[in-house]
């Protein structure tokens, strides 16, 4: 019997000067090289807005402020161990407030970069990043 579980995450949608910030998935993930929004899973008791800002800092070194709520993305996918996972992702527009962009080391992402909206069309994007980009139109 396949086990089922939910994974709840929060993500930052950051657009500045017509460019969007994305993070690259590392070799530690099932989808290395795929680009996604800065963000990740909520810790027990953590509010989604707090998680989005914590993950933004962990993955990019940037500090931000929550803006408007951009939406919820849900999907079903199979985990590395065969579990059926219901992914629920809260997406927030975030304004950068401080710091310098840097890469996360030895974790689920290994780089981040700014892309024009046009450039994102040629990238291997996560489903929730693709969904979030529609909020920019």
């Amino acid at each position: 019997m396949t086990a089922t579980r939910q994974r709840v995450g929060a993500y930052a949608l950051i657009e500045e000067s017509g460019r969007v910030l994305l993070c690259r998935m590392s070799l530690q993930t099932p989808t290395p090289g795929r680009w996604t929004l800065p963000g990740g899973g909520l810790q027990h008791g953590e509010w989604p807005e707090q998680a989005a800002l914590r993950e933004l800092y962990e993955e990019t070194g940037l500090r931000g402020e929550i803006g408007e709520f951009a939406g919820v993305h849900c999907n079903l996918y199979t985990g590395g161990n065969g579990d059926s996972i219901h992914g629920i992702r809260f997406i927030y527009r975030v304004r950068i407030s401080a710091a310098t962009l840097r890469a996360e080391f030895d974790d689920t992402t290994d780089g981040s970069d700014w892309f024009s909206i046009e450039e994102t069309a040629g990238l291997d994007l996560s489903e929730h990043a693709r969904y979030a980009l529609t909020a920019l139109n």
Side-chain angles (χ1 to χ4, degrees):
M1 179 176 191
T2 301
T4 60
R5 61 186 175 102
Q6 290 182 314
R7 182 178 186 278
V8 181
Y11 293 81
L13 175 58
I14 304 165
E15 180 190 22
E16 288 189 357
S17 304
R19 300 178 311 151
V20 64
L21 181 65
L22 298 173
C23 293
R24 187 179 55 225
M25 302 302 294
S26 75
L27 292 172
Q28 292 185 28
T29 70
T31 55
R34 180 168 289 162
W35 292 91
T36 191
L37 300 173
L42 274 67
Q43 296 173 353
H44 182 77
E46 186 176 40
W47 291 101
E49 298 89 345
Q50 294 169 322
L53 296 179
R54 175 185 52 76
E55 288 281 348
L56 171 66
Y57 180 72
E58 288 175 6
E59 293 180 354
T60 69
L62 300 175
R63 299 280 186 193
E65 299 171 359
I66 294 289
E68 66 189 48
F69 181 68
V72 175
H73 177 265
C74 295
N75 70 341
L76 294 172
Y77 61 97
T78 303
N81 60 359
D83 288 357
S84 175
I85 303 170
H86 179 202
I88 304 166
R89 298 170 190 90
F90 297 95
I91 301 170
Y92 298 91
R93 285 183 169 265
V94 172
R95 292 176 301 282
I96 298 300
S97 60
T100 302
L101 187 63
R102 58 127 175 96
E104 180 177 40
F105 296 101
D106 199 30
D107 212 338
T108 57
T109 64
D110 63 9
S112 53
D113 206 350
W114 294 94
F115 295 91
S116 71
I117 302 304
E118 295 78 23
E119 289 174 316
T120 63
L123 297 176
D124 178 15
L125 294 174
S126 68
E127 284 186 40
H128 54 282
R130 194 167 305 285
Y131 166 84
L133 291 176
T134 63
L136 297 178
N137 297 329

